[in-house]
Amino acid sequence: MAKSLVSFTIIFAMMFLPLLSNAISQCNGPCRTPDDCEGELICINGICNDDPEVGSHTCTGGGGGGGGGGGGGGSCHSSGTLRCHGKPYPLYSCSPPVTSSTYAKLTNNDFSEGGEGGDPSECDGKYHDNSVPIVALSTGWYNGGSRCGHMIKITAQNGRSVMAKVVDECDSMHGCDSEHADEPPCDNDIVDGSDAVWSALGLDKDIGVVGVTWSMA
């Protein structure tokens, strides 16, 4: 009887496991290859998320803290659309709620004068050295500058963390002009980090977008 039960368990597992490997994940679901994600999503650091090459915004339209992103209930809905380089980009004045482990997409920004980051930082009107761990936050999380000068803790999926200072806004309401280096509006869940942030996390900035978590320090 015991042998029969073991045999049945093994056969059941062999039949069921392929189904798991072929499962298609939605936003923030687990993945191993780009084919593991549904629709216009791509596997970024083990998580299904919007494909920056396609410009999809499936994962960024969902829940968030209303009007300023400091936390709380409600939904974060797009407040309009801006066409940039022939593609439509949703505009957001809000971001997902800030928790002790807030999911975000880490991108790379050049905060130096003459770099690709555009105008000086919003917090102090100055340019900054990219060898210092600093960040810009999406408009909702930036919250009108209330987080300027504050430190946040960013944690990568490899377990490494870094403390970084908020110096700028990653504008989710405007873009495609000289002030924003002709770049489209930011998604509403972006932590835009300097080279030092990527280096401290042991990440390759050439990847472009990596899923991380962050919290106020």
Side-chain angles (χ1 to χ4, degrees):
M1 178 107 180
K3 288 184 178 179
S4 299
L5 180 60
V6 171
S7 298
F8 175 79
T9 302
I10 294 174
I11 294 172
F12 177 79
M14 292 176 66
M15 294 175 61
F16 183 66
L17 286 176
L19 294 177
L20 288 178
S21 63
N22 293 330
I24 305 300
S25 292
Q26 300 178 358
C27 292
N28 299 322
C31 59
R32 294 182 181 178
T33 72
D35 295 333
D36 293 339
C37 302
E38 71 169 11
E40 294 183 333
L41 305 181
I42 191 172
C43 189
I44 301 176
N45 205 25
I47 296 176
C48 288
N49 219 311
D50 291 307
D51 187 344
E53 296 296 325
V54 175
S56 58
H57 293 275
T58 307
C59 300
T60 55
S75 298
C76 179
H77 299 292
S78 171
S79 55
T81 303
L82 175 68
R83 291 197 69 84
C84 182
H85 307 303
K87 295 181 180 180
Y89 291 87
L91 304 176
Y92 292 98
S93 61
C94 54
S95 291
V98 175
T99 67
S100 59
S101 183
T102 309
Y103 176 79
K105 295 195 286 283
L106 177 68
T107 54
N108 180 243
N109 187 44
D110 185 349
F111 293 88
S112 64
E113 186 173 6
E116 298 177 352
D119 282 0
S121 298
E122 287 286 335
C123 289
D124 56 13
K126 299 178 180 179
Y127 291 102
H128 294 268
D129 191 330
N130 293 307
S131 65
V132 178
I134 51 179
V135 298
L137 298 178
S138 290
T139 294
W141 288 338
Y142 181 72
N143 199 21
S146 68
R147 292 193 168 97
C148 280
H150 290 276
M151 303 296 291
I152 67 171
K153 181 181 180 181
I154 307 167
T155 304
Q157 290 191 353
N158 60 15
R160 296 179 65 168
S161 298
V162 63
M163 303 291 289
K165 184 165 73 171
V166 178
V167 300
D168 203 1
E169 174 186 11
C170 194
D171 201 332
S172 306
M173 288 294 293
H174 309 90
C176 267
D177 52 22
S178 58
E179 180 182 350
H180 299 89
D182 202 35
E183 292 293 321
C186 284
D187 286 342
N188 68 345
D189 57 352
I190 296 295
V191 171
D192 205 16
S194 62
D195 291 353
V197 170
W198 284 75
S199 178
L201 294 175
L203 301 173
D204 181 1
K205 67 178 183 179
D206 291 334
I207 296 175
V209 182
V210 175
V212 297
T213 59
W214 73 276
S215 61
M216 296 302 299

